[in-house]
Amino acid sequence: MINLSRRRMVLGTASLLAAGFGSQLLGSSVFGNQAHAAPPMASAVTMPDNFMQLSRKLTAMEHLEPHLGQALYSWLHHEELDVQLDALVALLDAHSDVIGDPLHQLLAQQPAALGQLYQQLVNGWYLGVVGQPGSQLCIGFENIVSYELVKDSVLPPSYAVGEPNFWIHKPDSEVITRG
C-alpha cells in the first residue's frame, strides 16, 4: 500500500499543474501556434488508367496496390509525364518480345527521359523507393512488388514469425513449414 499524505498529494498535484501550464506557455511562445499542427497534405494528382496498365506490364502482376501506384504517380508527376507514359507503352507494345538485357539496350537507344521513367517505375514498384541516390524517398514497404512475389515463402524483414523473444527458445526438432 502506498503511504500518501495530504501534503504529498497537494505538492504532487501542484507540480503536475505547473508542468502542464509551463509546457503550454513554452509551446505557444517559443514554437509559435503552429508547433503541433500536422504538415499540409500534398494534393493528390489524378492517376490515369494507362499508368496502372503500364505498371502491370512492367511488373507482370495483375493486382498491384493502388495506394502505392498513386504515391508513385504523384511523385513522378510533371508536365510531360503522360506523354512519356504513352511513348513507353508504345515502345513496349512494339517490342513485346524483348526482355532482359536486350530491353535495356533498346531503352538506351531511346531519349534519356524514357529510360529514366522506366527505371523510376521499376524502382518504385519493386523497391518502394523513388529519387536519386542521396535524396531518395521511401513510398512503400510491405506492399511492394518484390515482397508480393515471395510472400508465399518469405516474410518481409519487419515481420516477426513468432511471439516477442521467440528466438531465445530452442526450436523443435521437426521442420515447421508455413502454409
Side-chain angles (χ1 to χ4, degrees):
M1 184 166 163
I2 299 175
N3 186 7
L4 187 64
S5 67
R6 273 189 290 177
R7 180 179 293 163
R8 282 189 176 177
M9 191 167 119
V10 170
L11 285 174
T13 304
S15 298
L16 284 173
L17 287 173
F21 184 68
S23 68
Q24 283 293 103
L25 287 176
L26 181 64
S28 63
S29 64
V30 174
F31 299 112
N33 293 331
Q34 301 297 322
H36 301 290
M41 292 293 292
S43 60
V45 182
T46 305
M47 179 175 51
D49 291 337
N50 71 341
F51 181 79
M52 290 303 281
Q53 291 170 352
L54 174 62
S55 296
R56 284 185 202 97
K57 185 179 291 193
L58 291 177
T59 61
M61 291 188 66
E62 186 60 34
H63 302 288
L64 294 170
E65 174 65 38
H67 296 296
L68 180 58
Q70 181 63 52
L72 181 56
Y73 182 80
S74 295
W75 185 85
L76 288 170
H77 189 263
H78 56 79
E79 268 184 42
E80 301 294 318
L81 179 61
D82 293 335
V83 173
Q84 290 175 352
L85 286 172
D86 291 338
L88 188 55
V89 167
L91 178 70
L92 293 175
D93 285 345
H95 301 282
S96 60
D97 58 334
V98 179
I99 58 172
D101 285 338
L103 177 60
H104 289 199
Q105 292 169 0
L106 176 66
L107 286 166
Q109 297 168 1
Q110 305 303 314
L114 209 57
Q116 289 172 349
L117 176 60
Y118 171 83
Q119 195 60 50
Q120 289 169 335
L121 286 168
V122 170
N123 284 347
W125 282 111
Y126 278 87
L127 303 176
V129 175
V130 291
Q132 300 300 320
S135 64
Q136 293 169 322
L137 176 69
C138 180
I139 61 168
F141 184 70
E142 74 273 356
N143 56 352
I144 59 177
V145 171
S146 57
Y147 287 146
E148 287 296 315
L149 294 174
V150 296
K151 73 180 180 182
D152 296 348
S153 57
V154 177
L155 291 173
S158 68
Y159 294 169
V161 296
E163 73 279 353
N165 295 327
F166 74 94
W167 56 87
I168 64 173
H169 305 292
K170 185 176 178 180
D172 294 337
S173 60
E174 62 184 73
V175 176
I176 300 173
T177 59
R178 191 175 146 204

